[in-house]
Amino acid sequence: AQSVTQPDIHITVSEGASLELRCNYSYGATPYLFWYVQSPGQGLQLLLKYFSGDTLVQGIKGFEAEFKRSQSSFNLRKPSVHWSDAAEYFCAVGARGNQGGKLIFGQGTELSVKP
Amino acid sequence: EAGVTQFPSHSVIEKGQTVTLRCDPISGHDNLYWYRRVMGKEIKFLLHFVKESKQDESGMPNNRFLAERTGGTYSTLKVQPAELEDSGVYFCASSRNRVTTEAFFGQGTRLTVV
């Protein structure tokens, strides 16, 4: 069955420290891959997406993610975390072609940033 | 350009009552999606409209849920009668094309059934 796993429910990092949020997926073929962020009181905002090509993708707010086919992973990284990055982060996959449309989400990772 | 708008932002109803959630997508977006997040769980797909037609409703939990998109503009999601397990946050999203373009999400409607 298609699924997305974010193994870390909650992560706390210090401001200025680096960040890596893990995401693994189970899918029949290479899906489209996404990272979304939800800040308190806000909707989901797209950080970045991978469709094809370069496996290292750059997103907004200084985030990047690397697609590793051999590991079925799409981990999100940021070299230096800011207090405003505290939010919940969701990894998602979407089908290609005519099956496209719906997204399958992971459970989310809540990020806390300490001063 | 206005984003995806959802009404109401919060709703508290009693078990057995009816609730209707509304979603106004971004103008010109043919694709409209409903998702739900039950507390502590992942965000789950409910259904997908292309214009006024239901493209995929495989995620609808049961026949107490009815989604409509008359005229291919705004959409409503009605829960009748509501049960305790229906509590959660209901998200709406829209996109111009399918997954190859960004899906924009609304802030969600937090539904609490007591």
Side-chain angles (χ1 to χ4, degrees):
Chain A
Q2 301 161 355
S3 65
V4 177
T5 301
Q6 294 178 245
D8 303 306
I9 302 299
H10 188 211
I11 284 181
T12 300
V13 300
S14 298
E15 191 168 15
S18 63
L19 171 71
E20 182 169 26
L21 302 183
R22 296 181 290 166
C23 173
N24 291 91
Y25 65 88
S26 174
Y27 210 83
T30 301
Y32 295 135
L33 297 157
F34 306 83
W35 274 98
Y36 282 86
V37 61
Q38 185 181 21
S39 299
Q42 305 294 314
L44 294 164
Q45 181 183 21
L46 181 67
L47 283 176
L48 47 77
K49 60 189 177 186
Y50 172 78
F51 289 162
S52 63
D54 193 345
T55 56
L56 183 63
V57 293
Q58 303 297 319
I60 62 172
K61 305 185 180 187
F63 285 92
E64 66 177 26
E66 186 172 12
F67 167 56
K68 292 186 177 180
R69 185 190 307 273
S70 61
Q71 298 177 20
S72 297
S73 69
F74 189 55
N75 293 349
L76 181 72
R77 301 193 293 249
K78 186 170 184 177
S80 177
V81 169
H82 188 262
W83 63 266
S84 60
D85 293 325
E88 192 162 17
Y89 293 79
F90 297 91
C91 180
V93 301
R96 295 176 179 264
N98 291 331
Q99 300 300 315
K102 70 181 181 184
L103 297 176
I104 300 171
F105 285 88
Q107 301 94 319
T109 297
E110 185 172 356
L111 173 66
S112 297
V113 180
K114 58 183 181 181
Chain B
E1 179 181 74
V4 177
T5 308
Q6 293 187 244
F7 304 97
S9 56
H10 294 84
S11 180
V12 181
I13 62 171
E14 293 184 350
K15 176 182 172 181
Q17 289 186 322
T18 297
V19 62
T20 300
L21 314 181
R22 173 169 169 148
C23 170
D24 287 78
I26 293 173
S27 177
H29 283 193
D30 287 341
N31 294 270
L32 186 149
Y33 310 85
W34 284 98
Y35 292 85
R36 176 175 75 171
R37 189 183 193 196
V38 172
M39 184 175 292
K41 304 280 187 138
E42 68 271 26
I43 300 169
K44 282 196 171 181
F45 167 83
L46 296 178
L47 87 159
H48 170 203
F49 283 100
V50 178
K51 297 184 180 178
E52 67 275 8
S53 299
K54 292 176 184 175
Q55 179 73 22
D56 181 354
E57 51 184 330
S58 60
M60 294 289 266
N62 51 61
N63 59 11
R64 295 185 293 103
F65 289 75
L66 175 64
E68 296 180 324
R69 191 182 183 194
T70 306
T73 55
Y74 71 91
S75 174
T76 58
L77 180 64
K78 180 188 289 187
V79 185
Q80 180 182 27
E83 298 289 343
L84 299 179
E85 63 264 26
D86 300 331
S87 296
V89 180
Y90 290 77
F91 291 101
C92 175
S94 73
S95 68
R96 189 173 301 280
N97 295 313
R98 288 184 188 233
V99 179
T100 53
T101 61
E102 178 177 355
F104 293 84
F105 281 78
Q107 302 99 311
T109 293
R110 180 174 296 278
L111 174 65
T112 303
V113 182
V114 297

